[in-house]
Amino acid sequence: MNTPQAHEHDVIVVGSGAAGLATALFAALDGLDVLVLEQSPWIGGTSALSAGAMWIPNTPHGAAAGDTPERAAAYLAAATQGESPTALREAFLRLGADAVQRLESEAGVPLRAFAHHPDYLGDLPGASTAGRVLECPPFDGRRLGADFARLRPPIPEFTVLGGMMVDRTDIGHLLAMGRSWASLRHAAGLLARHAADRLRHPRGTRLVMGNALVGWLLQALRERGVPVWTRSAALGLLHDGDRVCGVRLQRDGTTLICRARRAVVMAGGGFNDHPDWRARWLPPAVRHSPRAGTSQGALLTDALRLGARLGDAPGSSACWAPVSVHPRRDGSTAVFPHFVLDRAKPGTLVVDPQGRRFLDESSSYHRFGEAMLAHAPAGGEAAAWLLADREAVQRYGLGLVRPGARGLRRYVREGHVLRARTLPELARAMGVPADALVRSVARFNALADAGLDSDHGRGRTPYQRHLGDPAVVPNPSLRALREGPFHALRLQVGDIAGSRGLLTDAAARVLGPDGPIPGLHAVGNDMQSVMGSHYPGPGINLGPAIVFAHAAALALRRGTPDPLETP
């Protein structure tokens, strides 16, 4: 019988999303010997597919925009409705600035605040319109050398021209390149860079959004000699008595033993892809997800056997978004999340399978998903139709259809987008009662003409108006659907992250029945969300992931359970 090979490190991090990479980086900054394990061939997890936004209040970036600790605390308390321990919220609020400072000044990971990105629940006390949402600037993937090929590519539908990533600024310039010399220069630079990239790489090397965040973190780890083992699946936790002391794993068909002198940090992305737990905690109506599909709950079962406990909340166990689904030409499935680009734009509205309007289209994607689930019949599918008139599709696109109606003919031909000259014709194609659809559109048009949605409050808060078109007044989210052809796209509910995870203390130490389990931490979606089942703003998964990664590393460095303790 072969004895498994043994390795030893100070800290073993299981998972290579932003939470895992940040934990490894903070620990490495403190001089600890760290190993990162990733089960898939790709580094980055769902973080690499995301927008890369991080909701972290109380930083110098926020202070410059007028944010204050008092306002942030008031907003977080109101938004989470007491579903998370006060100690965790306080730790998150107090440690954010230090986490950001260490990334920027010690690790060389630059961050910047969005110029304008309102909190999602703008009617709550302490809500902000700027300063709390951070992102990384574009990253040059060529700096990663051979590791660029291991960084998880973005969702293909979020790229253009065969793998060129673009962010919100780039999209604006590309759309305006025929009207502005500045936009033409910007667009020409993007296109020239991408053309050169494709001579040497399978995709563009100018990385933005979540790919940029993962790229910056990975480069910082490379500079400090921290190994990231891909194709390395954790099989179980090792423990000596009640103390976790390592991981048993399989790498390239070989079983290995990796011992941890200080701790194992679980950063595997949560439970969403574990078939049993998914069936237990997610509604059966949720069948699709734009996530990476690597959240199998590695080590969660072992942690529960050691006495760990899962959190609970009155609301959802996951975070939601409306998605549209379409088969790709290679046989895979495109699951397109409708975050900001179309569903709240002027000239659109959403109806249920009976042709009735039932929600605020400009609410956050999580609340949008909650509304779809609540409206679905018992045991039935949570589905809806996103409608758009000709002008809306031309200006803003519609799901996979790009602004300028690029791709519209293809998706109409393939049946993904329905198109008809009149609303009754569209209703027949959708399979909904024509009279109900016509009444819903007529009622919506009357509200839009008045500029006030008295039925559902669309365009009420700064965030909701942010999703609209500032050129449309008085309500940037409202314009009547007037001119055909009219279009319809079927929406479903997708899960974008898990919010239920292992209960931890403020140092991200996993809690058992008698206190923290020695040697075991959990961060990211393996940790019970500090937001409870709520979604107060953009980046409320990645922001806490970064901050509690810092908290875990502080506790490992200091040997103290309290990351707020003055060193």
Side-chain angles (χ1 to χ4, degrees):
M1 182 176 177
N2 293 329
T3 302
Q5 301 178 34
H7 300 260
E8 188 170 79
H9 301 268
D10 291 329
V11 181
I12 297 171
V13 179
V14 182
S16 72
L21 296 180
T23 303
L25 179 55
F26 285 127
L29 291 175
D30 292 331
L32 298 180
D33 174 20
V34 189
L35 170 66
V36 180
L37 303 176
E38 167 58 48
Q39 63 173 328
S40 79
W42 305 104
I43 297 170
T46 297
S47 301
L49 306 180
S50 73
M54 294 159 276
W55 195 83
I56 306 178
N58 297 339
T59 70
H61 299 284
D67 194 18
T68 67
E70 294 75 19
R71 292 182 63 220
Y75 179 71
L76 191 59
T80 57
Q81 299 181 17
E83 288 186 11
S84 59
T86 301
L88 259 66
R89 294 200 305 274
E90 290 178 349
F92 172 63
L93 293 170
R94 288 186 57 187
L95 290 172
D98 193 36
V100 168
Q101 185 273 330
R102 295 199 75 195
L103 286 179
E104 293 186 306
S105 64
E106 296 182 42
V109 176
L111 298 171
R112 64 189 183 190
F114 283 70
H116 181 72
H117 211 322
D119 291 333
Y120 289 169
L121 310 177
D123 50 353
L124 294 182
S128 174
T129 59
R132 293 175 181 169
V133 187
L134 309 181
E135 67 172 350
C136 286
F139 178 78
D140 187 348
R142 296 172 296 190
R143 296 178 60 186
L144 296 175
D147 279 339
F148 176 62
R150 296 203 296 158
L151 196 154
R152 181 178 292 278
I155 295 173
E157 289 74 25
F158 282 3
T159 67
V160 297
L161 301 176
M164 184 174 81
M165 294 196 72
V166 290
D167 61 14
R168 65 194 187 284
T169 301
D170 301 328
I171 292 172
H173 283 300
L174 289 169
L175 292 176
M177 59 186 295
R179 304 187 303 272
S180 162
W181 282 109
S183 292
L184 179 62
R185 286 193 298 270
H186 184 96
L190 292 179
L191 297 173
R193 164 71 181 271
H194 185 61
D197 281 344
R198 290 308 305 272
L199 295 175
R200 302 174 181 84
H201 304 282
R203 67 182 180 101
T205 62
R206 179 183 177 271
L207 310 183
V208 298
M209 301 188 297
N211 247 224
L213 171 62
V214 173
W216 283 107
L217 292 173
L218 180 58
Q219 177 61 15
L221 290 174
R222 282 164 44 90
E223 292 170 352
R224 288 154 183 83
V226 176
V228 180
W229 289 3
T230 51
R231 305 180 189 273
S232 301
L235 303 176
L237 292 170
L238 304 176
H239 56 96
D240 183 4
D242 65 348
R243 181 177 184 82
V244 173
C245 60
V247 175
R248 182 171 59 90
L249 67 134
Q250 188 170 66
R251 188 184 191 206
D252 295 329
T254 301
T255 300
L256 305 176
I257 296 296
C258 287
R259 300 195 178 277
R261 289 184 285 265
R262 300 207 182 186
V264 172
V265 182
M266 295 172 54
F271 69 87
N272 295 51
D273 297 308
H274 188 288
D276 295 338
W277 291 338
R278 183 177 182 86
R280 185 185 308 175
W281 294 326
L282 297 192
V286 181
R287 303 171 185 172
H288 301 283
S289 174
R291 295 176 299 99
T294 56
S295 302
Q296 278 87 12
L299 305 181
L300 281 175
T301 300
D302 272 19
L304 294 175
R305 290 196 187 106
L306 292 173
R309 296 168 293 156
L310 286 162
D312 198 4
S316 305
S317 293
C319 308
W320 314 119
V323 299
S324 53
V325 180
H326 184 65
R328 297 188 180 109
R329 289 169 176 169
D330 64 0
S332 62
T333 300
V335 181
F336 185 90
H338 292 255
F339 289 138
V340 299
L341 295 179
D342 52 16
R343 59 184 173 83
K345 291 293 192 289
T348 68
L349 83 156
V350 171
V351 298
D352 66 12
Q354 288 72 48
R356 303 168 301 191
R357 185 169 180 242
F358 67 100
L359 51 64
D360 171 9
E361 296 89 348
S362 66
S363 61
S364 73
Y365 36 89
H366 178 66
R367 284 196 164 182
F368 194 111
E370 287 183 321
M372 289 182 66
L373 291 169
H375 190 71
E381 187 177 13
W385 290 97
L386 172 59
L387 307 185
D389 66 5
R390 182 198 61 77
E391 182 181 348
V393 174
Q394 184 69 32
R395 284 183 178 272
Y396 316 116
L398 186 66
L400 297 175
V401 177
R402 314 276 186 182
R406 294 174 178 86
L408 177 60
R409 289 184 180 179
R410 171 195 166 187
Y411 291 115
V412 169
R413 183 174 65 251
E414 295 176 356
H416 179 60
V417 174
L418 304 181
R419 180 171 61 180
R421 292 180 300 106
T422 68
L423 289 172
E425 290 176 7
L426 186 66
R428 287 193 289 272
M430 295 162 58
V432 308
D435 56 345
L437 182 65
V438 170
R439 283 197 303 269
S440 294
V441 174
R443 170 65 179 173
F444 177 82
N445 285 353
L447 298 174
D449 288 341
L452 179 64
D453 179 12
S454 56
D455 286 350
H456 297 285
R458 176 166 165 173
R460 183 182 70 256
T461 69
Y463 168 71
Q464 293 170 350
R465 292 190 291 274
H466 177 64
L467 293 186
D469 184 340
V472 176
V473 293
N475 189 328
S477 185
L478 288 177
R479 179 181 59 75
L481 280 73
R482 296 294 189 196
E483 184 180 349
F486 300 99
H487 307 79
L489 178 66
R490 192 169 185 268
L491 299 180
Q492 301 177 63
V493 179
D495 57 297
I496 58 173
S499 54
R500 181 192 291 243
L502 296 172
L503 294 175
T504 69
D505 64 8
R509 299 187 306 170
V510 176
L511 296 175
D514 302 315
I517 297 174
L520 187 62
H521 289 68
V523 294
N525 292 331
D526 279 349
M527 170 187 178
Q528 173 73 4
S529 175
V530 69
M531 307 295 171
S533 59
H534 301 280
Y535 211 104
I540 59 90
N541 290 302
L542 291 182
I546 298 294
V547 175
F548 284 105
H550 173 50
L554 279 179
L556 292 171
R557 179 182 73 184
R558 298 175 182 173
T560 172
D562 185 3
L564 302 181
E565 186 177 279
T566 302

